[in-house]
Amino acid sequence: MLSLARRPLSAAVPAGNLLGIHLFQCPDAVGIVAKLSECIASRGGNIHSVDVFVPDDRPVFYSRSEFTYNPRLWPPTSSTCQTASMHNDPPYECLTLTPNTRLPSSLRSRSAESVPNAYTLLGKRTFSDHCLFDLLHRWQEGRLPVDINCVISNHDRPTDNHVRRFLQRHEIPYHYLPMTTGNKREKEILQLIEGTDFAVLARYMQVMSESFIKAYGKDIINIHHGLLPSFKGGSPSRQAFNAGVKLIGATSHFVTPELDAGPIIEQMVERVSHRDTLQSFVVKSENLEKQCLAEAIKSYCELRVLPYELMKTVVF
């Protein structure tokens, strides 16, 4: 569950009302926006914003609407709001209350007390803490609408480590699961993350198996560098620095069985030059990774991400 209370709306949410978010995807047709607006208004909903996208080469309609509504007039048990003439099909259910995050058409209501639960997998190398620590600080400051249920790592950080101290202060469990080539502890991870809404790989240097992805059954978000041209193996930043690259970047995407090939949520780039030292080069690269991952998680939690074609996303 998610709260957008920290994020300013075009108008304040009236006392006793909730913020509703409606994501919609269907074949394109004339009058869809009007019928969606009528559908929301018929239940007393007050629209604050609407984003629409129709591709140039495909007759497919995508939209995201934010509105406030009174839950007494539109209770969660009320499953539909009918728009009989939107298509030639039988009456189309334009607003369906469902907890499934990635259904093409659904209504999600959010109260100020509810946020989605996430777990984080943290990589082995201590210098990769930058993404996790940035997420923890954003969460602490109320800039990231998510609850972090636990952190799982294949590296046993000492109790006086800055990450461990932060987690202890905020009573977030830290699970150390040492791994080998033949045992990635995936069954134990699945037990630890049961009940979470999605997962984040904060520089987790392990490939999740296809069976793990299917067993978890929910979205997993990953972050990796986008050094150009590509540099594989150990110390990619040093390789790129020694090669004199002029552009670096970061990519955040959904995890699929194919390595680093899932639908992209967010990308960021920055120029570097001959004036950069290896240290400033690494700092710029890590800053991009932190910003890119945080922005992807924020967009995901604010229900701004829709699947588009097989390997693309619409991010409102």
Side-chain angles (χ1 to χ4, degrees), residues 201-213:
L201 306 185
R203 296 291 292 155
Y204 186 64
M205 310 304 289
Q206 296 287 333
V207 179
M208 313 308 298
S209 70
E210 184 173 359
S211 60
F212 175 89
I213 295 171

Side-chain angles (χ1 to χ4, degrees), residues 23-24 37 49 77 108 110 128 132 135 156 162-163 165 189 193 201 214 223 226 241 244 260 285 288 295-296 315:
L23 298 183
F24 192 71
S37 300
S49 67
T77 54
R108 294 102 187 194
R110 301 300 186 228
S128 293
L132 174 65
L135 296 180
D156 189 19
H162 61 294
V163 170
R165 292 198 304 269
I189 293 173
I193 65 178
L201 306 185
K214 289 182 177 179
I223 181 70
F241 175 78
D260 290 341
S285 181
L288 282 176
E295 189 63 29
V315 182

Side-chain angles (χ1 to χ4, degrees), residues 21 28 31 40-41 103 126 154 157 165 179 196 207-208 226 229 246 257 263 281 303-304 313:
I21 300 174
D28 191 29
I40 293 172
L103 283 179
T126 55
N154 56 0
R157 290 161 175 78
R165 292 198 304 269
M179 300 176 188
T196 56
V207 179
M208 313 308 298
K246 304 304 181 187
F281 188 98
L303 304 179
R304 298 181 179 278
T313 57

